[in-house]
Amino acid sequence: CINRIMMMSTVDVCVIGAGLSGACIARNLASHNKSVLVLDARNRVGGRLLTAAAANADLGGADFGGAWIWPRSEPNMANLLQNLNVVTVPMHMDGISMAYIANGKRHVIPDGQAEMYAACGGGAIRVCGGASRVVSELLEPHSVRLGMRVTEIDYNDKKEVKIKCIKMTDKNNTNKNDNPTIIKCQAVVLAAPPKVLARTITFLPNLPKQKTESMIATPTWMQEYGKVAVSFPTNWWRQQRMSGISIDHVGAVATWWEACSGSEDDGNLPTLAGFVTEQGAAMLRKVICDDSSYLFEFIIESLKRVYGVDANAMGTLESVASDNEIKAQGSSEQDGLIVTNGVITVSYKSWLEDDLTNAKDDTVVDFTCDYGDRDLQSSVEPLFFAGTETAA
């Protein structure tokens, strides 16, 4: 009944999604004297820009989501960073790299060839302290409401859109005891993955059939991946003249790189990070199913094998004492599983298991929609669509 619904004041524009796209749009609208409210189901800003240090100050500052910018091919992004006075650093490529292949042999890749094997390729830079800083710089805190999951958008009234949302718990579950919130606005910008929007929001009236199917048919960036980060007390790979770049055809982490050098404000601690594929995620799921602390030993042993170093060379021998208790917190499907032993931390974020990234239901379409497709970008009356997949 209506008296159980909390009403809010009308704003000019409501932006759904507090990731990079939503933040840029909100800032631009505010600069044109529009009142803007940004909603996000997560309890943080950034979306798929998630920095490990944002969850725990003892982590190095590695990025679990988007991490790299290529200034030559992304001049708009480069200009944005410059305007925000965000400090960047080139990806570290100096030194030898490693490749561990399926036959169990390790190959040393000579200095000067790291770009050929790096996941980012050549010419990439990253944000000192993590990419999520960019979103924090863009958004005004008073214009953002976090932990608000939009469930319904009613645009039957051509002069006023009504958005229904529910408060989320810390574990991204809806709080059934809370009354829904109604937000009124003149226009809505949906800056979230198209597939997630189509599968989690009821539109009144329904969106056009072709648009809905195109949204469902659009793969969400990072939906099949995860990232692991390992923070150390010293930058042992640079000390041993390594680039930090490696590829692994055997383990759960397919490729590694230096995510933070740990010096000159580049992260809190020296950190290596790596991609986890869908196959790798299945391996890690088995590792942590009984005890999440098992992640620590599994990843450290993988690094020893790939880089061909022992515990002493990595600094783990003196840093991880036998009487240290392994401490685990968080979860891989939320903002990251964090496992610490002494002063070394292993963390793991699975976007594959994140229902705000990899939304699932029984709806099936028989085609795949490309990023930036016209159907994704088309507006529907007062509803406008943006985001990584839509604007690409």
Side-chain angles (χ1 to χ4, degrees), residues 65-292:
W68 301 309
I69 304 101
W70 294 266
R72 289 185 179 180
S73 59
E74 298 176 331
N76 291 339
M77 191 66 197
N79 290 336
L80 174 64
L81 297 178
Q82 185 175 10
N83 293 336
L84 294 174
N85 295 316
V86 172
V87 179
T88 61
V89 60
M91 285 296 293
H92 180 62
M93 299 287 180
D94 297 335
I96 61 173
S97 304
M98 297 293 178
Y100 195 91
I101 60 177
N103 63 7
K105 292 184 178 180
R106 182 187 311 105
H107 294 268
V108 176
I109 301 167
D111 186 8
Q113 297 185 23
E115 287 187 359
M116 298 171 58
Y117 297 88
C120 62
I125 62 175
R126 52 183 175 76
V127 175
C128 288
S132 63
R133 284 187 53 204
V134 179
V135 177
S136 298
E137 292 285 342
L138 286 168
L139 287 173
E140 295 290 341
H142 67 270
S143 69
V144 183
R145 292 202 62 186
L146 300 175
M148 301 296 290
R149 187 162 198 163
V150 175
T151 59
E152 181 182 285
I153 298 178
D154 184 342
Y155 62 106
N156 277 296
D157 186 338
K158 307 305 179 185
K159 296 181 179 179
E160 184 178 73
V161 182
K162 296 178 181 177
I163 300 174
K164 182 184 292 186
C165 47
I166 300 175
K167 183 67 176 175
M168 304 290 287
T169 66
D170 291 339
K171 295 184 177 181
N172 278 358
N173 296 316
T174 54
N175 192 337
K176 297 181 180 180
N177 295 324
D178 275 3
N179 298 327
T181 298
I182 298 295
I183 298 168
K184 297 180 179 181
C185 58
Q186 296 176 15
V188 181
V189 179
L190 295 103
K195 184 186 295 185
V196 176
L197 294 171
R199 289 178 166 173
T200 60
I201 298 177
T202 299
F203 293 90
L204 303 174
N206 292 331
L207 296 176
K209 182 174 182 291
Q210 180 65 28
K211 184 172 185 68
T212 299
E213 291 184 348
S214 294
M215 292 169 70
I216 293 172
T218 303
T220 299
W221 178 74
M222 289 296 288
Q223 71 176 19
E224 296 179 350
Y225 294 93
K227 282 188 178 180
V228 166
V230 188
S231 300
F232 298 90
T234 60
N235 194 321
W236 55 265
W237 53 95
R238 289 203 186 195
Q239 293 172 0
Q240 299 181 56
R241 299 181 180 180
M242 294 182 181
S243 65
I245 303 295
S246 70
I247 57 175
D248 185 1
H249 291 172
V250 176
V253 184
T255 179
W256 292 91
W257 59 86
E258 180 185 88
C260 301
S261 67
S263 62
E264 298 179 354
D265 297 324
D266 181 22
N268 302 328
L269 293 168
T271 304
L272 292 173
F275 272 123
V276 177
T277 63
E278 187 172 5
Q279 181 180 2
M283 294 173 64
L284 292 182
R285 197 177 299 118
K286 292 179 181 179
V287 170
I288 64 178
C289 66
D290 293 327
D291 189 335
S292 57

Side-chain angles (χ1 to χ4, degrees), residues 12-82:
D12 291 331
V13 183
C14 185
V15 177
I16 299 174
L20 180 60
S21 296
C24 287
I25 291 166
R27 185 183 179 92
N28 189 37
L29 287 168
S31 71
H32 287 80
N33 299 317
K34 299 294 184 181
S35 58
V36 182
L37 180 63
V38 181
L39 301 175
D40 201 292
R42 304 183 194 276
N43 287 295
R44 58 171 178 81
V45 301
R48 284 165 287 172
L49 295 185
L50 171 60
T51 302
N56 187 313
D58 293 331
L59 301 182
D63 286 307
F64 283 141
W68 301 309
I69 304 101
W70 294 266
R72 289 185 179 180
S73 59
E74 298 176 331
N76 291 339
M77 191 66 197
N79 290 336
L80 174 64
L81 297 178
Q82 185 175 10

